[in-house]
Amino acid sequence: MTTPTSPRGIELHTVQTTRLRTAFRAAGDLGAPVLVLLHGNVSSSAFFEHLMTDLIADFRIVAPDFRGYGDSERKAIDGTRGVADLSDDTAALLDALGIEGPVDVLGWSAGGNVALQLAIDHPGRVRRLVLEAPGSPFGFGGSTGLDGRPVADDFAGSGGGTVNPQFVQALLDGDRGEEAVSPRTTLRSFYVKPGFTFAEEDEEAYVDAMLKTSVGDDVYPGDRASSENWPGVAPGRTGMNNALSPKYLRQGAFADLDPAPPVLWIRGDADQIVSDTSMFDMAQLGKLGALPGYPGEEVCPTQPMVSQMRTVLEAAGNVTEVVYEDTGHSPHLEQRQRFVDDVRSLLRA
């Protein structure tokens, strides 16, 4: 199914793959090189519309919504596979569209982890990678050290139970307000560096996209288990945040690919989500006194997310790391022209 072209020259499609009914945005000439855009958590392909417009003359762009996000079918994410459900869904979409050869892939935030998994599990499908503010290859929360070793034997501090329940409720309620834990405030405060101003129509579109996230144990944030270790929660088995737990997400194998795809890694120096001092790492919040009962750095060290990623990418070789000053978690929104120029510099080579 195809809907009318948007004012930006982007078409909205839905296709039945061998795995699920997938919605995706598409733009560009069918004969052009293919660029796949993979969105992050609590978002959708709607966040890429400006980027697609800027690159429409250079590529055939395919930007899917993950299962349970945007307009794609709600289908449970098997967290025990890490993000492999999502990378396999992406490969199935390419198959359904008859795209057989290697493609370039840009993954933002958790989409960066999906891009890495696609390269690991489907190495012939990925030619080059752009990783924009990607999560650590050793999961989100519950690991430490450059090798991503678990902080606790049950991976406490990661998984579906680490998400603020008030934020989850705000998504369920369709909250469009400006309360402290609303999607809109989260967008303004964490998706970008605080102080960045969205155009009004863009902000409304991004809040719309966030509110389309399927909320529950199956998709976001996922189920949870209790733990005797601080902070008292451990990963469950289903949903996105369990898929991102180091119990199940281990992507060091990217460095073992021969050859590994060339990588352009773009991140902001003011990113509060993916950082060596992430404000979404429960250990970091405990260290700052924002969560009670923190047992201390020796028992529950923080996660050096950026340093973990750098370790894996440098071991893989052929990586270019670019850091944008005064930029948060969304360089493609905050530094639009620079981001487009940097992406073109890799993908035109």
Side-chain angles (χ1 to χ4, degrees):
M1 181 179 70
T2 304
T3 61
T5 304
S6 79
R8 293 175 178 150
I10 299 167
E11 293 182 342
L12 308 180
H13 299 265
T14 303
V15 65
Q16 181 67 49
T17 76
T18 56
R19 294 177 57 80
L20 76 157
R21 188 178 67 258
T22 299
F24 64 99
R25 284 170 164 80
D29 189 334
L30 292 181
V34 176
L35 173 61
V36 178
L37 307 180
L38 301 175
H39 66 81
N41 204 355
V42 194
S43 65
S44 79
S45 61
F47 276 80
F48 287 132
E49 286 216 346
H50 284 305
L51 180 61
M52 295 177 74
T53 301
D54 293 339
L55 294 173
I56 198 170
D58 300 273
F59 304 99
R60 175 187 178 186
I61 306 171
V62 177
D65 293 338
F66 294 143
R67 57 172 62 196
Y69 290 80
D71 295 310
S72 284
E73 178 183 353
R74 180 170 187 164
K75 197 168 185 179
I77 298 170
D78 182 353
T80 67
R81 302 187 69 221
V83 294
D85 264 355
L86 306 180
S87 58
D88 286 351
D89 290 347
T90 303
L93 174 62
L94 294 175
D95 289 341
L97 297 178
I99 300 172
E100 298 178 354
V103 299
D104 297 322
V105 182
L106 185 156
W108 167 47
S109 190
N113 295 105
V114 178
L116 285 174
Q117 199 66 46
L118 185 68
I120 292 168
D121 292 343
H122 305 271
R125 306 303 293 259
V126 179
R127 180 171 57 171
R128 293 169 295 195
L129 280 174
V130 178
L131 300 179
E132 178 191 3
S136 166
F138 302 125
F140 200 100
S143 78
T144 193
L146 298 182
D147 58 352
R149 63 186 181 276
V151 172
D153 57 4
D154 62 355
F155 298 87
S158 69
T162 63
V163 178
N164 187 327
Q166 292 177 292
F167 178 70
V168 175
Q169 189 62 49
L171 290 175
L172 280 169
D173 292 343
D175 183 353
R176 304 187 65 86
E178 300 182 8
E179 294 77 12
V181 293
S182 71
R184 188 182 303 276
T185 298
T186 301
L187 173 70
R188 293 173 177 175
S189 302
F190 295 104
Y191 282 38
V192 294
K193 181 181 177 181
F196 178 83
T197 302
F198 294 99
E200 183 178 353
E201 65 175 9
D202 290 337
E203 180 168 298
E204 297 308 315
Y206 300 150
V207 172
D208 284 344
M210 296 170 75
L211 292 174
K212 284 188 174 183
T213 304
S214 297
V215 178
D217 289 350
D218 55 337
V219 178
Y220 178 83
D223 63 343
R224 59 188 287 174
S226 60
S227 173
E228 295 182 355
N229 300 302
W230 189 90
V233 293
R237 297 179 61 85
T238 58
M240 177 67 99
N241 284 51
N242 291 313
L244 295 172
S245 165
K247 182 175 183 178
Y248 310 118
L249 186 72
R250 308 294 295 182
Q251 297 184 314
F254 181 77
D256 298 329
L257 295 176
D258 186 19
V263 175
L264 173 61
W265 175 23
I266 300 176
R267 62 183 183 86
D269 68 348
D271 190 338
Q272 299 180 80
I273 297 178
V274 176
S275 166
D276 283 356
T277 55
S278 170
M279 295 304 292
F280 287 71
D281 177 10
M282 299 194 86
Q284 177 68 16
L285 293 175
K287 184 177 179 179
L288 295 175
L291 291 177
Y294 180 59
E297 187 80 15
E298 291 186 0
V299 175
C300 189
T302 56
Q303 181 183 6
M305 301 178 184
V306 171
S307 297
Q308 289 174 343
M309 177 59 78
R310 185 178 298 114
T311 298
V312 170
L313 293 183
E314 289 184 348
N318 204 356
V319 57
T320 301
E321 179 181 354
V322 180
V323 182
Y324 290 7
E325 296 181 356
D326 298 317
T327 303
H329 191 59
S330 307
H332 76 286
L333 301 178
E334 300 168 79
Q335 300 275 359
R336 180 175 168 181
Q337 189 58 56
R338 181 182 178 186
F339 187 85
V340 168
D341 291 343
D342 284 342
V343 169
R344 281 198 181 112
S345 72
L346 173 73
L347 301 186
R348 280 182 170 174

